[in-house]
Amino acid sequence: MNNYSYISLIPLLPIATFLLLGLFGRKYFSSLSGIIGTLSLSVSAFLSILTAYKYFFVDGKVNGVFQQIIPLKYTWLQFSPTISIDMGIVVDPLSVMMLVVITFVSLMVHVFSLGYMKGEERFATYYAFLSLFTFSMLGLVLSTNIFQMYMFWELVGVSSFLLIGYYFDKPSAVAAAKKAFIVTRFADLGFLIGILILAFHAETLDFQTLIARLTDPQSSQILSSVTSSLFGVSALTWGLTLVFMGGAGKSAMFPLHIWLPDAMEGPTPVSALIHAATMVVAGVYLVARLFPVYCFDVSALQVVTYVGAFSALLAAVIACTQTDIKRVLAYSTMSQIGYMMFSLGVSKYGGEEGLGYMASLFHLFTHAFFKSLLFLGAGSVIHMVHSNEMKDMGGLRKHMPITHITFLIACLAIAGIPPFAGFFSKEEILLAAFHSNKLVFFVALFTSGLTAFYMFRLYYSIFWKKAAHLHGEHHDEGTFTMKIPLVILGACALLVGFVPISQFITSDGIGLETHIDVIFSITPVALAIAGILLATSLYKNENDRPIKISLAFGKFYEAAHKKFYIDEVYLFIIQKIIFNLIGRPAAWIDKNIVDGLMNLLAFITAEFSEFFKGLQSGKVQSYALYFFAGIFGLAVLFIYLVK
Amino acid sequence: MGASKIIFYIISTFILGTGILAVTATKIFRAAIWLLFSLIGIAALYFWMQLEFIAAVQIIVYVGGIVVLIIFSIFLTQKSGDEMPKPLQQRKLFSLFAVFFAFAFTYLLIHQYGFYSSNPQPFELKISDIGMQMLSTTEHGFILPFEVVSMLLLAAMIGCIVIAMKAKTE
Amino acid sequence: MINEITLTDILFVSTALFFIGVYGFFTRRNMITMLMSIELILNSVNINFVAFNKYLFPQHLDGIFFTIFIITIAAAEAAVAIAIIINLYRSHRSIDVEDASELKY
C-alpha cells in the first residue's frame, strides 16, 4: 500500500496561505496576495490530481474493490474508551473525487478573481478568506470522524459567512451573510443532535466503525437504535433525519433554502466556488458518506428523496420568474442539488441497484464544472455591465465572444443535451429514478424540461434579445486571467461527461458498467429541446409574449416571482410567533429576573462595602475597641464554646 | 489579720486609686503625677513581695525615666494647666461597660482556676543569681535576649533621634 | 493559710490595673495620656510575672527576667512613642488622636 500521508498537505497549504495573507497580507504584499494564494492552491490542486491518479489507477483497488485507506489518524479528544474525536484523513473514491473537484474549481476561482477582484481595497483579505474556505472544505471531505466533519462543517459556514459579507459596507450583503449563517446554523443544530443520537447508539464517532456497526443487522448497536423510539419513530431514523437536516441546510434544500438566493450578494467568484460547486454539495457528500446507514433505514431515505425532488421542482419554477441573473443561477443550483439528493434517495446499496448513488455523485462532479462556469460567466457579464438585472443586458454576444461561447456550452450541459457533461449524469439520475419511484421520475423529467427553459431564458436575455446598449466607458470582457478559467471550465463542461465515474465511485466500491439507453434518453432530451425552443421563441427577440404568458399564469406567476412567499412565512413565524411567544418572555426574564438578581447582588455588595468603609474611620481608638472586642470574642469562643 | 495583709490592702488600694485618677484626671499634668504615684505604689508592691531589686529597677526606670520623659513631652506640647478635651460621653459609657464586664469575666476565670502552688517553698531572690543567669551561656542563660535588648535600645535611641529631628529647611 | 495573701489576691490587683489602663486607652483623646494608660497596662503585666514567679515557681527566675526585659522595652517604647508624638505635634499642632485620622477610606 502506498503512502498517502502527503495528502495532509492539500488542506494545510490553504490554511498556511490564510494565516500568511490574513496576518500580513494587507499590510505588506497586498497586490501580490492573489498570486500567492493562487500558487499555493495550484500546488494543492496538483497534489489532488496526483492522488486521484494514484488512487484510481495504481493502487486503490484491491480485488476489484476500492478500499478505504486511512493514511493519517490520531486521537485528539478521548471522551471515553470507546468515544473519541480523531483527526485524520480518509482516502476513498468519494473523498478523492471531492478533493479534485474542490481544488480544481477553487483554483479556477482563484485565477478568475485575479482579474475580477482587481483593485479591491481588501484584496488580500479576500484571498485569505478564499483560502480559509478551501481549507475547511477540504478538511470536511477528508474527515474520518463525524465530529471532525462537524467542526469543518462549521468552519465552512463561517468562511461562507465571511465571504458573503465581504462587501460589509452594503447593508444587503450584511443581512444576507447573517441570514445564511443563521439558517445554516439552525440546520447544524439538527446535525449536531443527529450526531449525538447516532454516536450514542453506535458508541463511536468514527465513520468506519459507525457504518460497520449500524449496517450489521446482528449488532447490539443497531438493535438499541431501532428499538428505542420517540413519537413512534426509531432513534436511527431520528438521527439520520436530523443529520440530513444539517445537510439540507448547507445544501439549500426546501425549506432551509432561503439563504442561498440572498447569498448572491457576495462577490460572484465566491458564488461560483461556494454556492455552486463546493459548499452546497456538502449535504450531498454527507448523505453519501453515511449512505450505507441510510440504506438501512428506508424512512430516512424517503425523507431525503422527497425533500430533494420537491426542492428540485420548486427551485426550477422559481428560477423561471427571477430577473437577477445570479438568483436564477442560485435557484438552478438548488434545483440541481435536489436532483442529487433524490437520486441518493432512490438508490440502494450495491450493484445495479446502487445506480442512484453513482448517478448522484456523477452529477455532483459534472455540475461542479458547468455551474461554476455559469457563475464565472455571469461574473464576467456583471463585470462588463455593472448590473445583475436582466433588463440591463442583452445583445452581448458580439462584445464578449469567449464568455458567450462558454456560457452556451454550460447552458447546454445543464439542460442535458448530448454530448455535454450534464446529459450523462442526468441520464443516470433519471434512469435510477425510473426504476424505483415513478412519481419522482416524472417530477425529475418535468424539472429537466424546465431547467432547459430557464437556462435558455437566461442565455437569450443576456446575449441576444436586443441590441447592446452599453453606456459609459470601461467595458471590456475582462482580463486574460478571467478568460482562462472560462475556457478551461468550458472544455471540462464539454468533456467530463465522458469520465467513467461509474467505474470508480459506487456505493460498494465495485465498478459498475453503465451504458446510455438510447430509447430511454429520447424523452428527456426531447423535453430539453422543447424547453430550449420555447425559450428561443419567447426571449430570442424582444416581444410581448413573455408578459402575456406571465399574465395568463396570473397568481401563480406572481407567487413564483415572490419565491412562493417562503421568506414571508419565515418572517411571520419568527417575528409574530417566536418573538412574541419566546423572545419577549425570555427578554423579560433576562431583564427583570437575571439582571435583577445581578443588580441585587451588586447592591448588597455595595451596601456591605459602604458599611465596612465606615469602619475604616481612621480613629485609632475605634480600632482599639474592635481589637478588644475581637480578643474578648475569641476568649469566650475558646474557653467556653470550643472544648 | 496580719500586718502583712493590711499593708497589702493599703498598697493595692493606693495603686488602683491613683491608677483610676491617672486615667480620669482632667488636667494632663495631674494625670502624669497620679501615674507617678501609681508606679511608686507598684514599686511598693514589689517591696512587699520582697523583690527589692525589681522594686529598685521599677523606681529607677519608670519613676526616674519614663514619667520624667512624659512630663517633658507634656511641657513640649501642652500648656500644662489646660483642661483636656472631655472624652465622648457615649464612648465613655461604652468603655466603662465593656471594661467592667471584661474585668468580671477575667477575674471569674482566675478565681475559678485558683492557682495553687504544688510545692510551696520560700522564694529568695539573690541579685548575684540574677547577674549570673543574665550573662550565662548555659541552658537557662539569658545572654542572647540581653544582647538583643541592648541592640533594641540602641535602635530605639537612633530611631527617636531621627523621628524627632527637625526636617532640614530647604 | 486563710490569713495569707494568696496569688489570686495579687492577680486581682493586676487585672484591675490592666482594665483601668484599657479604660484610659479607650477614653483618653490626648496621645500622651494614652501612652500613660499603656504604661499602666505594662505594669500590670509585670506584676503578674513577678507574682507567678514568686508563688508558683520559686525555684526559677524566669518571671523576674521577663519583668526586667519588659521594663527595658517599655522604656524604649516610651521614647519612640514620644518622638512620634512630638513629630505629630509639629505637623498637626495637636496631639489629639481625633485630629490624626488621615489614614481612613
Side-chain angles (χ1 to χ4, degrees):
Chain A
M1 188 157 299
N2 221 308
N3 185 16
Y4 280 101
S5 48
Y6 67 88
I7 289 182
S8 57
L9 271 183
I10 298 175
L12 286 180
L13 275 172
I15 191 70
T17 318
F18 164 67
L19 291 176
L20 182 72
L21 295 182
L23 290 176
F24 310 111
R26 218 171 144 188
K27 212 164 175 186
Y28 299 110
F29 37 81
S30 182
S31 51
L32 268 176
S33 50
I35 309 281
I36 293 172
T38 311
L39 278 180
S40 116
L41 200 68
S42 52
V43 176
S44 280
F46 171 74
L47 286 175
S48 311
I49 291 167
L50 186 75
T51 310
Y53 171 75
K54 261 175 77 178
Y55 184 74
F56 285 128
F57 296 104
V58 182
D59 55 5
K61 222 173 202 174
V62 177
N63 302 329
V65 180
F66 280 110
Q67 298 295 308
Q68 195 169 48
I69 303 168
I70 296 181
L72 268 184
K73 182 171 170 179
Y74 86 98
T75 303
W76 183 49
L77 284 176
Q78 183 91 39
F79 290 128
S80 71
T82 50
I83 295 188
S84 64
I85 295 183
D86 301 336
M87 283 289 162
I89 285 178
V90 66
V91 179
D92 67 352
L94 186 57
S95 69
V96 171
M97 182 199 82
M98 290 299 289
L99 270 188
V100 173
V101 169
I102 294 162
T103 51
F104 186 75
V105 173
S106 183
L107 181 63
M108 289 300 119
V109 168
H110 271 73
V111 174
F112 186 82
S113 301
L114 284 178
Y116 188 85
M117 299 301 285
K118 199 172 185 178
E120 285 286 340
E121 195 194 337
R122 293 160 63 236
F123 192 61
T125 316
Y126 173 80
Y127 270 96
F129 288 166
L130 272 190
S131 301
L132 176 66
F133 172 77
T134 313
F135 160 72
S136 329
M137 195 65 208
L138 290 169
L140 196 157
V141 299
L142 289 172
S143 297
T144 56
N145 184 297
I146 196 162
F147 220 92
Q148 184 190 357
M149 187 166 176
Y150 181 72
M151 282 187 279
F152 282 108
W153 188 272
E154 293 296 339
L155 264 180
V156 166
V158 169
S159 36
S160 156
F161 168 80
L162 291 172
L163 283 167
I164 295 171
Y166 175 73
Y167 296 118
F168 60 74
D169 44 359
K170 220 163 77 179
S172 61
V174 175
K178 269 195 287 192
K179 189 172 175 183
F181 193 72
I182 292 168
V183 172
T184 52
R185 193 65 202 79
F186 174 70
D188 294 345
L189 181 67
F191 185 21
L192 181 61
I193 297 171
I195 289 176
L196 294 178
I197 293 175
L198 288 185
F200 176 75
H201 286 291
E203 292 158 14
T204 180
L205 287 168
D206 188 66
F207 273 124
Q208 245 180 348
T209 330
L210 186 121
I211 289 169
R213 283 184 185 164
L214 290 185
T215 50
D216 175 12
Q218 255 72 51
S219 71
S220 61
Q221 285 85 5
I222 193 81
L223 282 178
S224 89
S225 60
V226 171
T227 49
S228 58
S229 66
L230 182 68
F231 303 131
V233 180
S234 76
L236 183 64
T237 311
W238 272 113
L240 290 174
T241 311
L242 285 168
V243 166
F244 172 66
M245 179 182 162
K250 275 273 185 296
S251 290
M253 290 289 97
F254 177 83
L256 297 168
H257 65 276
I258 50 163
W259 64 272
L260 184 61
D262 290 15
M264 296 301 139
E265 291 291 343
T268 310
V270 168
S271 310
L273 175 61
I274 298 184
H275 309 118
T278 53
M279 185 180 95
V280 287
V281 298
V284 180
Y285 173 81
L286 176 63
V287 176
R289 172 60 74 201
L290 286 172
F291 190 69
V293 188
Y294 274 97
C295 280
F296 205 79
D297 191 272
V298 183
S299 32
L301 211 52
Q302 293 265 313
V303 173
V304 176
T305 313
Y306 288 111
V307 167
F310 184 70
S311 304
L313 180 63
L314 181 87
V317 171
I318 297 176
C320 292
T321 60
Q322 297 298 306
T323 55
D324 179 325
I325 60 171
K326 282 181 74 182
R327 280 179 188 246
V328 174
L329 291 177
Y331 280 109
S332 134
T333 307
M334 178 181 160
S335 170
Q336 298 303 311
I337 292 166
Y339 261 82
M340 300 172 204
M341 281 293 183
F342 76 67
S343 172
L344 280 175
V346 299
S347 177
K348 290 194 177 52
Y349 187 76
E352 284 289 332
E353 301 276 79
L355 178 67
Y357 178 88
M358 185 288 282
S360 167
L361 293 170
F362 190 17
H363 196 56
L364 190 161
F365 184 66
T366 55
H367 174 259
F369 293 105
F370 59 68
K371 186 47 69 64
S372 54
L373 173 57
L374 282 170
F375 267 107
L376 292 183
S380 185
V381 170
I382 292 166
H383 192 67
M384 177 121 170
V385 301
H386 303 296
S387 164
N388 282 9
E389 285 297 319
M390 279 182 189
K391 61 177 165 38
D392 298 328
M393 298 164 189
L396 292 174
R397 66 185 181 283
K398 294 273 167 47
H399 300 277
M400 31 199 343
I402 291 174
T403 310
H404 172 227
I405 297 295
T406 51
F407 204 86
L408 181 60
I409 291 172
C411 284
L412 288 169
I414 195 173
I417 304 295
F420 298 98
F423 165 74
F424 298 96
S425 51
K426 218 175 243 188
E427 206 59 38
E428 306 286 0
I429 291 181
L430 290 172
L431 204 59
F434 181 73
H435 285 312
S436 73
N437 192 329
K438 292 285 186 295
L439 173 68
V440 171
F441 169 70
F442 285 116
V443 167
L445 206 58
F446 178 63
T447 309
S448 113
L450 222 50
T451 308
F453 170 73
Y454 68 71
M455 283 318 297
F456 276 85
R457 169 176 174 263
L458 179 68
Y459 165 72
Y460 285 122
S461 304
I462 296 175
F463 295 103
W464 295 75
K465 204 164 183 179
K466 54 192 174 190
H469 55 286
L470 297 170
H471 32 77
E473 68 284 11
H474 200 66
H475 292 292
D476 55 46
E477 206 185 336
T479 59
F480 180 67
T481 52
M482 287 168 72
K483 288 176 194 156
I484 282 281
L486 292 180
V487 173
I488 295 175
L489 285 169
C492 288
L494 200 58
L495 299 173
V496 290
F498 296 104
V499 175
I501 286 275
S502 61
Q503 293 296 321
F504 303 135
I505 300 170
T506 49
S507 49
D508 51 4
I510 304 167
L512 191 63
E513 280 303 327
T514 52
H515 42 82
I516 299 300
D517 188 341
V518 180
I519 311 290
F520 179 80
S521 55
I522 286 175
T523 331
V525 172
L527 260 175
I529 290 173
I532 295 171
L533 289 177
L534 183 64
T536 314
S537 73
L538 290 178
Y539 297 105
K540 187 172 178 189
N541 298 303
E542 207 155 20
N543 55 47
D544 56 357
R545 269 170 287 174
I547 298 169
K548 274 186 192 155
I549 291 175
S550 66
L551 283 177
F553 274 108
K555 286 276 178 227
F556 184 73
Y557 176 84
E558 185 63 24
H561 185 65
K562 293 273 198 264
K563 309 152 199 166
F564 292 106
Y565 303 107
I566 291 166
D567 275 321
E568 282 75 7
V569 169
Y570 270 105
L571 273 183
F572 177 79
I573 290 175
I574 290 168
Q575 290 191 333
K576 292 279 150 62
I577 298 174
I578 295 183
F579 279 12
N580 280 337
L581 290 186
I582 300 169
R584 283 182 212 286
W588 185 87
I589 286 173
D590 194 51
K591 248 185 231 153
N592 291 298
I593 293 179
V594 179
D595 286 8
L597 271 178
M598 286 301 125
N599 287 340
L600 184 69
L601 215 64
F603 176 75
I604 290 170
T605 313
E607 286 301 300
F608 262 103
S609 66
E610 197 66 32
F611 171 69
F612 284 116
K613 200 173 82 174
L615 294 185
Q616 295 284 328
S617 58
K619 294 189 168 39
V620 183
Q621 284 171 320
S622 309
Y623 298 166
L625 264 175
Y626 309 145
F627 174 68
F628 186 71
I631 287 176
F632 194 68
L634 285 177
V636 171
L637 181 73
F638 283 112
I639 291 168
Y640 289 113
L641 302 180
V642 183
K643 292 280 179 179
Chain B
M1 194 179 271
S4 155
K5 209 170 174 181
I6 294 170
I7 293 170
F8 172 73
Y9 285 133
I10 292 170
I11 292 172
S12 304
T13 319
F14 181 73
I15 291 171
L16 296 182
T18 49
I20 289 170
L21 287 172
V23 297
T24 52
T26 50
K27 290 187 174 151
I28 187 165
F29 194 73
R30 287 191 188 169
I33 297 302
W34 289 126
L35 177 70
L36 181 71
F37 282 126
S38 186
L39 295 176
I40 288 171
I42 290 164
L45 190 63
Y46 292 148
F47 269 119
W48 179 83
M49 287 196 273
Q50 292 157 338
L51 297 165
E52 293 82 4
F53 178 70
I54 300 297
V57 170
Q58 168 85 4
I59 288 176
I60 292 167
V61 176
Y62 269 109
V63 179
I66 294 174
V67 173
V68 171
L69 199 63
I70 286 174
I71 289 172
F72 268 140
S73 67
I74 289 172
F75 285 147
L76 281 173
T77 57
Q78 306 274 303
K79 292 197 186 83
S80 55
D82 285 0
E83 296 264 319
M84 279 193 294
K86 282 248 164 50
L88 301 168
Q89 201 62 33
Q90 200 186 349
R91 173 170 299 160
K92 196 169 154 183
L93 273 176
F94 181 78
S95 306
L96 207 59
F97 188 74
V99 159
F100 180 75
F101 275 98
F103 171 67
F105 172 73
T106 314
Y107 190 68
L108 191 70
L109 280 178
I110 291 168
H111 193 76
Q112 278 171 352
Y113 191 82
F115 291 114
Y116 294 114
S117 173
S118 50
N119 51 346
Q121 51 179 264
F123 175 66
E124 267 183 82
L125 180 65
K126 281 196 211 129
I127 296 174
S128 56
D129 286 350
I130 295 178
M132 290 304 284
Q133 202 170 338
M134 179 76 90
L135 296 179
S136 125
T137 53
T138 53
E139 197 183 343
H140 291 287
F142 280 83
I143 183 76
L144 184 65
F146 178 75
E147 291 297 335
V148 170
V149 161
S150 65
M151 289 303 292
L152 178 89
L153 282 175
L154 179 67
M157 194 167 76
I158 295 171
C160 292
I161 293 168
V162 171
I163 292 171
M165 202 158 52
K166 265 190 183 146
K168 275 179 194 157
T169 46
E170 286 162 34
Chain C
M1 271 315 253
I2 200 90
N3 281 331
E4 281 296 310
I5 295 297
T6 58
L7 177 59
T8 319
D9 298 331
I10 299 175
L11 290 182
F12 177 88
V13 177
S14 73
T15 313
L17 195 63
F18 179 85
F19 284 107
I20 289 167
V22 169
Y23 172 80
F25 189 75
F26 284 161
T27 52
R28 291 293 201 183
R29 292 171 59 188
N30 188 305
M31 281 191 194
I32 294 174
T33 45
M34 282 171 79
L35 183 64
M36 294 180 201
S37 309
I38 291 173
E39 299 300 341
L40 282 181
I41 293 171
L42 284 170
N43 269 291
S44 82
V45 173
N46 281 349
I47 294 172
N48 261 12
F49 270 117
V50 168
F52 277 125
N53 193 341
K54 179 175 161 70
Y55 286 89
L56 295 185
F57 305 100
Q59 68 275 38
H60 294 299
L61 286 178
D62 296 358
I64 303 294
F65 278 110
F66 269 87
T67 307
I68 293 170
F69 285 125
I70 287 172
I71 290 172
T72 323
I73 290 168
E77 170 249 24
V80 174
I82 282 166
I84 291 171
I85 289 169
I86 288 174
N87 209 354
L88 190 80
Y89 180 74
R90 276 200 203 123
S91 61
H92 284 67
R93 289 284 131 198
S94 154
I95 52 170
D96 195 324
V97 279
E98 306 281 319
D99 293 339
S101 60
E102 279 88 353
L103 270 181
K104 63 179 181 181
Y105 56 88

